[in-house]
Amino acid sequence: MSILKQGEFVGSLDCGTTSVRFIIFDQYANIVSQHQSEFPQYYPNPGWHEHDPEEIQEISEQCITQACVKLEEAGWAKESVKVIGITNQRETTVAWSRTTGKPLCRAIVWTDSRTKNTVAHFEHLLATTGIEVEPGQFKTGEEGVEALRDITGLKLSTYFSGIKLRWMVDNYSEVQKAHHEDDLLFGTIESWVVYNFTGGVHGGIHVGEVTNASRTLLLNLHKLTWDERLLAFFGFRRSILPKLVSSSEVYGHLSHGPLKGVPIGGLIGDQQGALVGNKCLRQGEAKCTYGTGAFLLFCTGKDIVNSSHGLLSTVAYQPGPGAAPVYALEGSIGVAGSAIKWLRDSMGFIKSASEINTLASSVPDSGGVFFVTAFSGLLAPYWDPGAAGLLIGLSSYTTPAHIARATMEATAFQTRAVLESMKLDSRAKLEHLKVDGGMTNGDVCMEILADIGGFDVVRPDMKESTALGSALLAGSAIRLFGWDISKPTTLAEVNTQGSRTFKPHMPEEDREKGFTTWLRAVERSRGWDEGVYE
């Protein structure tokens, strides 16, 4: 039997919306071993999207085990993994019992739009009673909306975890009872998996990382603390909330599995993870991740930039306990890769996601078809939960190829709309956009994005930016390889494999005409679901 080599590696658990992967990187961000598995998606009613938290945990543990098997098959001892990071789908909401450690219901996924009534209720509350900003002083109406946004960086939307949790408390008797009896623990996915990896009901830690917490509507963005005014507004007990932690520190150690005893040193929401993984650590750098949805983050440095054009202010990362946070502006697009999945699974236009490139490139344009992919309303910069999916411009000339191309163009048009807002808010013109995520594998998609956007699109050769982000934060926590996330120069040798740049070739006149028509299509899709039904 050959003796396994000892090395120094960092692991990253990437808990996405449809799959989990565990990737083991070396100090240059070369992938040494990895394993990925999908987990079930549940759609019990129109607009509902659920996950089973226990299935996510089981799949996570399987991915770590299988990646370690592959690591040893490659000749390396599993003891070579010195620290792991975790990155996760962000607003997905888990409620579990303090006593049993078991989920009280399925997790409500970030894409879920069942909470329209809950949003309407709090909009009404904000308009009439208002939110308490100082003891005894309430702000109502537009002032209330501004006050909420000033505290949180966010707006009332079905998107955020606090709204989903409120719906759970109001609609599931088990959650309501646990809240009433002080047996409820709330968290986003990183809270849930860290709790379980560190022992669960037998001493597991209940922590929430600040980039994820900044998506709950419960965090004070300026102080990075849970805000009593928000807890009072939404009606939550303080004791259900996790302890807030930075993006890079040793939180605890794995209590079981092949990496038992290895520290967990990095936690970050997946979109912020991709920002860090793309090394967009300085003010003015931006990236867009094209996965289930698409998320464009623009680093604003130590400054919180309040958007007046439909974007969100969010924590980009906090490099360590007590360290000054770095902030970002974000434009969130609800549907990107999931529209391709819809063409495959619901419409049967393609057999695999990659086939869309062949189908879309078989026609020179979309034949006048525009697709507003508002499957659960529209997020940035429109924020319309009542918007509906719309295919417009159809004629007897239209083929599945035109619809496939219009699906890709939809993501590009929405990216451009978000970037137009960023330009207005930050007063900076973007020279190029760094991209990652599953949709970026197709050259056709990237060419369409460059043409419609009118900017260079830079795609790195190593596309696992999200996982790399949490790996960098974890390595930095124990100064592995000399990495220090607060000193970007220490990461100079990470992921230097190179990249490919896609340049725009579309005439400016055609680009502007297409974008104007897209905006008309968006207007037609908006407010379709006008009433919020009880």
Side-chain angles (χ1 to χ4, degrees), residues 247-268:
S247 315
S248 179
E249 60 182 276
V250 173
Y251 317 98
H253 297 75
L254 295 170
S255 66
H256 56 280
L259 297 180
K260 182 179 177 179
V262 170
I264 303 168
L267 296 175
I268 194 163

Side-chain angles (χ1 to χ4, degrees), residues 493-506:
E493 293 185 349
V494 175
N495 198 14
T496 56
Q497 289 179 26
S499 58
R500 177 169 173 194
T501 300
F502 296 86
K503 292 190 170 291
H505 297 295
M506 183 185 280

Side-chain angles (χ1 to χ4, degrees), residues 9 44 71 119 131 136 165 198 222 316 348 373 402 407 442 450 454 476 495 522:
F9 303 133
L71 182 69
V119 171
I131 187 167
L165 179 64
T198 55
H222 305 265
T373 52
H402 293 115
T407 304
S476 178
N495 198 14
V522 169

Side-chain angles (χ1 to χ4, degrees), residues 124-138:
H124 178 71
L125 192 64
L126 210 50
T128 52
T129 308
I131 187 167
E132 190 171 19
V133 288
E134 300 288 346
Q137 184 192 339
F138 287 79

Side-chain angles (χ1 to χ4, degrees), residues 436-451:
D436 60 274
M439 270 186 90
T440 65
N441 292 330
D443 291 358
V444 178
C445 191
M446 296 298 93
E447 286 158 4
I448 288 172
L449 178 60
D451 274 342

